[in-house]
Amino acid sequence: MKVECKISADYKEPYAVLYLNRMTQAVAGIISMLEKEEADSLTVVATKERKTYFIKPEDISLVRTEGREIVCYDESKNRYVLDKPLYELEHMLDLHFVRISKSAIANISHISHVEASLNGTMELVMKNGITDYISRSFRKAFKERLGLG
């Protein structure tokens, strides 16, 4: 296989394009390894009590808007303030997270269960006990993402 690598400070984010006549197990393994490396290197910068923390996406349970702040909660219910807008965080975290309302995204692997409410929303309960609501407008996409049909 011919491989070409270009390195430049002009590239903001690494990307790869493969031209193949067929997919092989070896190529699939390389793709998986590259995707995992990118996911492993991702961290979210957050603040708590005037200290800066670097949090891995898999440690975040829920990200939501509270007043004028964007905050996240970890597995131990620690609350951190984030400096990025919610839509940007949703784009960064899209592999592990699902949008549940206009003001919140949840880590799929941290969901304990959901409960239907009378007003058409669904209450989302995280494994750490934090709750939020899945709004009616995001309910269908939420169910599809989790394979609930």
Side-chain angles (χ1 to χ4, degrees):
M1 175 186 288
K2 180 181 165 186
V3 177
E4 182 179 339
C5 183
K6 295 179 183 180
I7 300 171
S8 171
D10 295 337
Y11 300 133
K12 303 290 183 221
E13 185 176 330
Y15 68 94
V17 177
L18 302 174
Y19 298 93
L20 309 167
N21 61 356
R22 64 184 175 89
M23 178 61 74
T24 65
Q25 189 133 11
V27 173
I30 291 168
I31 292 169
S32 178
M33 183 180 68
L34 289 171
E35 289 173 340
K36 182 172 176 14
E37 180 181 315
E38 184 67 20
D40 288 347
S41 67
L42 178 67
T43 57
V44 176
V45 179
T47 57
K48 178 182 174 189
E49 298 169 358
R50 302 178 129 188
K51 295 177 186 170
T52 301
Y53 294 87
F54 301 93
I55 306 170
K56 291 189 177 240
E58 61 266 20
D59 295 334
I60 298 172
S61 291
L62 186 72
V63 180
R64 68 181 172 197
T65 304
E66 292 181 357
R68 298 186 61 78
E69 295 179 323
I70 305 296
V71 300
C72 73
Y73 292 90
D74 67 9
E75 298 163 320
S76 303
K77 289 188 180 181
N78 291 312
R79 181 184 184 272
Y80 301 91
V81 177
L82 305 172
D83 64 350
K84 292 190 182 303
L86 195 60
Y87 72 88
E88 215 173 290
L89 290 162
E90 180 183 21
H91 179 72
M92 276 176 54
L93 305 170
D94 69 344
L95 292 176
H96 309 284
F97 287 74
V98 61
R99 176 73 81 144
I100 60 169
S101 68
K102 282 174 50 175
S103 60
I105 55 176
N107 187 329
I108 294 169
S109 64
H110 289 232
I111 296 171
S112 172
H113 63 277
V114 294
E115 298 176 22
S117 299
L118 294 175
N119 62 357
T121 61
M122 296 174 75
E123 184 178 20
L124 177 77
V125 181
M126 305 305 287
K127 290 178 182 175
N128 63 7
I130 292 177
T131 62
D132 210 319
Y133 289 90
I134 303 166
S135 67
R136 284 184 289 212
S137 56
F138 288 92
R139 184 174 48 203
K140 182 179 178 187
F142 175 83
K143 286 180 174 183
E144 286 173 1
R145 180 79 186 273
L146 272 64
L148 301 174

